[in-house]
Amino acid sequence: MAFFSHQVCRGFSSSAVRNVVIKHVTIIGGGQMGAGIAQVAASTGHSVTLVDTNEDILKKAVKGIEGNLKRVVKKKFADKPEAGEEFIQKALQNVSTSTDAGSVVRDSDLVLEAIVENLKIKQDLFGGLDKLAPAHTIFASNTSSLPITDIASSTNRLDRFGGLHFFNPVPVMKLVEVIATSATSQETFDSLLNFSKKLGKTSVSCKDTPGFIVNRLLLPYIMEVIRMYERGDGSKEDIDIAMKLGCGYPMGPFELADYVGLDTVKFIMDGWSAANPDNPVFAQSELLTKLVAEGKLGKKTGEGFYKYK
Ligand SMILES: CCCCCCCCCCCCCC(=O)CC(=O)SCCNC(=O)CCNC(=O)[C@H](O)C(C)(C)COP(=O)(O)OP(=O)(O)OC[C@H]1O[C@@H](n2cnc3c(N)ncnc32)[C@H](O)[C@@H]1OP(=O)(O)O
Ligand SMILES: NC(=O)C1=CN([C@@H]2O[C@H](COP(=O)(O)OP(=O)(O)OC[C@H]3O[C@@H](n4cnc5c(N)ncnc54)[C@H](O)[C@@H]3O)[C@@H](O)[C@H]2O)C=CC1
């Protein structure tokens, strides 16, 4: 079954290709994923520049990072509060912010994008940065569902472009999917694997296939959940309880959707249904469309399927 049309990419060799040791990272998008990745990268000794469209978002992101570092320290340095405080300060010193990606990528070994799940916006971003970043700089996307090949096609560094797919919440979830397109060089792939290891994550190698590993399996489950609810076969509360207590999942599907963000869930589902218009498994959800149109995007806006204080 074809989920997305994948562009076939021709690799090109570049004199810049080598094994890059990633020290300085530019992370574009200071939302829940970008801020989480910045937190983990900074606390593992990387120098991080976090980029977003305005100062208010960046201030909120840094405040969130500080709060989440405190949660980490509470556990990791339970008996050593001074060492814990030092850990927080060191990590925060490793983070700087900017609203001008073009000016900061010049010093980056890795530019990792975690902006809105929209192919055109991601392509525009990388297409512009490709002209400004040094030759050795690796580009990577944290996309949940878009083909890395299609995002990379806006650049001239197909060999130095891969996927790094983190899981939410980044400081807690141990997995990173490392994605190679048919054009990603072995050196780039190895650099991304090494970087994931330095972050303390376990990585799995993925091909650039729809949904990689986790979301390819998660999405059909989610699609069926929506239809079950829309048919009235179970309340959202009962479905959530059933999946938590029946399968041992930490969150039920509706809680998870609110946590991920309903706008992101909708972007993903739109992509899957557009690529599979005749397959009822991927049909659009009226309920999801309505909630997103009303600005009820989940936990981040205070209301989604559930209300948050
Ligand atoms: C109509 C239905 C539609 C459904 C759609 C569903 C959407 C799916 C589409 C996929 C979209 C794309 C997403 C993607 O690409 C990939 C993903 O990321 S999928 C999501 C993966 N994540 C999960 O599945 C999360 C599952 N949940 C959990 O693991 C836990 O519930 C969670 C850790 C989030 C919270 O745990 P809980 O016990 O409930 O709460 P606590 O607050 O006590 O936290 C526990 C523990 O963890 C620490 N902690 C939590 N958050 C952070 C943080 N941000 N930073 C640091 N530390 C954190 C907290 O301090 C606690 O530590 P203790 O020492 O145990 O006190
Ligand atoms: N939410 C989740 O659970 C997961 C999301 N992802 C992926 O990560 C990416 C980001 O998702 P979230 O962090 O949840 O989204 P979010 O909505 O929390 O954050 C996105 C951020 O990007 C910023 N942004 C948008 N366009 C920009 C641009 N051109 N330049 C700079 N900043 C820009 C926005 O202002 C916002 O702060 C998406 O591709 C998503 O599919 C991947 C794994 C899990």
Side-chain angles (χ1 to χ4, degrees):
M1 186 168 18
F3 292 94
F4 285 117
S5 61
H6 274 232
Q7 210 171 306
V8 177
C9 240
R10 265 173 296 123
F12 69 95
S13 60
S14 155
S15 56
V17 173
R18 61 186 166 89
N19 217 328
V20 175
V21 177
I22 295 166
K23 286 298 291 174
H24 183 84
V25 189
T26 295
I27 296 171
I28 309 193
Q32 45 182 348
M33 294 306 291
I37 299 165
Q39 176 184 331
V40 175
S43 45
T44 48
H46 300 85
S47 111
V48 177
T49 306
L50 188 59
V51 177
D52 209 300
T53 49
N54 72 61
E55 292 292 349
D56 287 346
I57 298 176
L58 288 167
K59 270 189 197 136
K60 192 173 160 213
V62 172
K63 204 163 167 233
I65 291 173
E66 191 171 0
N68 285 328
L69 281 168
K70 285 183 182 155
R71 295 167 87 170
V72 172
V73 156
K74 217 169 155 190
K75 190 160 36 180
K76 212 170 158 185
F77 296 92
D79 305 325
K80 299 177 204 147
E82 277 171 22
E85 188 51 36
E86 197 183 320
F87 175 84
I88 292 174
Q89 291 315 320
K90 258 192 175 166
L92 289 174
Q93 277 161 20
N94 283 339
V95 181
S96 58
T97 60
S98 173
T99 53
D100 180 12
S103 68
V104 297
V105 294
R106 292 177 208 281
D107 302 321
S108 297
D109 303 314
L110 171 68
V111 175
L112 175 56
E113 162 278 314
I115 66 170
V116 62
E117 187 73 345
N118 178 299
L119 178 60
K120 170 85 172 56
I121 298 177
K122 288 184 194 284
Q123 285 176 331
D124 286 350
L125 174 76
F126 279 121
L129 295 181
D130 189 37
K131 298 174 184 74
L132 301 169
H136 81 276
T137 307
I138 294 173
F139 284 5
S141 173
N142 183 50
T143 180
S144 296
S145 65
L146 301 169
I148 302 295
T149 303
D150 290 359
I151 303 173
S153 69
S154 63
T155 73
N156 284 315
R157 59 180 79 214
L158 305 188
D159 56 335
R160 283 149 289 147
F161 206 119
L164 272 182
H165 184 223
F166 289 81
F167 292 81
N168 190 12
V170 181
V172 177
M173 305 301 280
K174 295 187 168 40
L175 185 69
V176 178
E177 292 179 324
V178 183
I179 301 115
T181 71
S182 58
T184 307
S185 71
Q186 190 61 48
E187 289 83 356
T188 297
F189 192 65
D190 289 345
S191 296
L192 293 175
L193 284 175
N194 286 336
F195 176 63
S196 308
K197 200 170 171 188
K198 291 252 168 68
L199 298 186
K201 302 294 183 191
T202 297
S203 53
V204 288
S205 304
C206 297
K207 291 187 179 164
D208 190 19
T209 52
F212 317 125
I213 295 177
V214 172
N215 285 342
R216 174 63 184 83
L217 299 172
L218 186 58
L219 263 289
Y221 153 62
I222 293 310
M223 297 282 193
E224 192 50 36
V225 165
I226 292 178
R227 262 179 297 283
M228 177 179 248
Y229 179 57
E230 287 180 337
R231 283 195 304 267
D233 293 348
S235 69
K236 56 181 187 289
E237 291 82 4
D238 280 351
I239 294 171
D240 276 349
I241 290 171
M243 294 315 290
K244 283 191 284 186
L245 302 189
C247 289
Y249 292 176
M251 283 176 166
F254 294 98
E255 292 169 331
L256 182 61
D258 277 355
Y259 194 70
V260 164
L262 299 190
D263 49 343
T264 298
V265 173
K266 181 161 162 49
F267 268 122
I268 297 170
M269 289 186 164
D270 286 350
W272 286 56
S273 58
N276 302 274
D278 301 326
N279 188 336
V281 170
F282 299 107
Q284 295 268 3
S285 158
E286 273 178 34
L287 176 60
L288 192 62
T289 303
K290 180 173 173 288
L291 288 170
V292 171
E294 290 169 355
K296 294 175 180 165
L297 306 184
K299 233 178 155 182
K300 64 184 169 188
T301 58
E303 186 172 349
F305 287 109
Y306 297 108
K307 284 194 171 142
Y308 303 85
K309 57 182 163 44

